[in-house]
C-alpha cells in the first residue's frame, strides 16, 4: 500500500469515526444542532439554523517566546460528510470554501469538555463574503475537538514553532 493511499485510508477512517460520533448530526440541516448538553453557553441564538457542517484536520501553530508557547494560527483542510475536500481554515480565524465564499469569526464563548484537546468555541461571523456555502453565515461552532493543545515542554529557542495536529467538527449557521 502506498503512503498516499495509507494516509487517505486513515483520513477516511477518522472522518467516519467523527461522523459516527456525531450521529444524525453528520447530515445536519435546518433545525439540527450538535449536542451541547452541559455547554449551553455555546448555543447560538434562536433564528439561526445549521447551514453547513465540515470536519477539519490540520494543525494548531504555536510559537515559543522564551517563557511560553503562544498561539499563532490554525491551518486545516475542511471536508464534507462524504469526505470530499471543500475548503481551508487559517488565521483570522477564517474559513474559505472551494465554492468561493469566506467567513471570518470572532470568539464569543469557550468550553473545555476534554482537557486533552483545544476548547470548543462559539464564534460570531465578523464578515462573510462571496457566493458559496459560507455566504451569510452568522455563527460558527467548533465542537468534538481532538488534540491541538500547545506543547507541554519548553521550546529550544525563541521563535521556534510547533505544529500540533488536531481535528474538529465545524458547524456553520445562518439566520432564518
Amino acid at each position: 500500500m502506498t503512503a498516499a493511499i495509507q494516509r487517505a485510508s486513515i483520513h477516511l477512517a477518522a472522518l467516519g469515526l467523527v461522523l459516527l460520533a456525531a450521529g444524525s448530526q453528520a447530515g445536519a440541516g435546518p433545525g439540527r444542532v450538535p449536542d451541547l448538553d452541559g455547554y449551553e453557553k455555546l448555543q447560538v441564538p434562536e433564528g439561526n439554523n445549521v447551514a453547513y457542517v465540515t470536519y477539519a484536520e490540520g494543525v494548531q501553530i504555536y510559537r515559543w517566546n522564551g517563557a511560553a508557547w503562544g498561539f499563532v494560527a490554525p491551518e486545516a483542510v475542511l471536508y464534507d460528510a462524504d469526505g470530499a475536500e471543500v475548503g481551508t481554515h487559517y488565521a483570522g480565524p477564517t474559513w474559505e470554501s472551494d465554492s468561493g465564499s469566506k467567513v471570518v469569526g470572532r470568539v464569543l464563548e469557550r468550553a473545555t469538555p476534554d482537557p486533552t484537546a483545544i476548547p470548543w468555541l462559539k464564534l460570531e461571523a465578523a464578515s462573510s463574503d462571496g457566493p458559496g456555502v459560507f455566504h451569510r453565515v452568522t455563527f460558527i461552532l467548533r465542537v468534538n475537538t481532538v488534540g491541538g493543545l500547545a506543547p507541554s515542554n519548553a521550546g529550544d529557542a525563541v521563535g521556534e514553532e510547533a505544529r500540533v495536529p488536531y481535528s474538529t467538527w465545524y458547524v456553520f449557521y445562518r439566520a432564518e
Side-chain angles (χ1 to χ4, degrees):
M1 182 179 292
T2 69
I5 292 172
Q6 193 172 23
R7 280 192 306 274
S9 296
I10 290 168
H11 162 73
L12 289 174
L15 178 60
L17 289 173
V18 168
L19 295 177
L20 180 62
S24 64
Q25 307 303 323
R32 290 191 163 170
V33 295
D35 180 9
L36 297 174
D37 285 346
Y39 305 99
E40 285 74 18
K41 68 182 181 179
L42 298 180
Q43 294 282 353
V44 300
E46 277 194 45
N48 292 276
N49 292 317
V50 174
Y52 198 63
V53 179
T54 65
Y55 168 73
E57 284 186 341
V59 294
Q60 296 283 306
I61 304 168
Y62 297 93
R63 184 172 296 125
W64 180 249
N65 67 11
W69 290 100
F71 178 71
V72 175
E75 186 177 283
V77 176
L78 305 175
Y79 300 91
D80 68 12
D82 295 323
E85 188 174 321
V86 294
T88 56
H89 175 47
Y90 53 90
T94 303
W95 295 263
E96 188 168 343
S97 75
D98 293 344
S99 62
S101 57
K102 177 169 45 174
V103 62
V104 177
R106 181 177 64 86
V107 176
L108 297 176
E109 297 287 347
R110 300 172 192 272
T112 308
D114 179 355
T116 69
I118 55 176
W120 291 12
L121 300 176
K122 175 174 125 180
L123 302 101
E124 177 179 54
S127 67
S128 177
D129 300 314
V133 296
F134 298 142
H135 179 66
R136 297 185 310 114
V137 163
T138 53
F139 291 92
I140 305 112
L141 290 183
R142 178 176 80 185
V143 295
N144 301 333
T145 55
V146 175
L149 289 178
S152 56
N153 298 333
D156 293 328
V158 172
E160 175 185 358
E161 282 193 355
R163 299 169 66 81
V164 182
Y166 87 106
S167 63
T168 193
W169 187 39
Y170 290 110
V171 183
F172 299 89
Y173 291 79
R174 283 192 194 111
E176 293 178 344

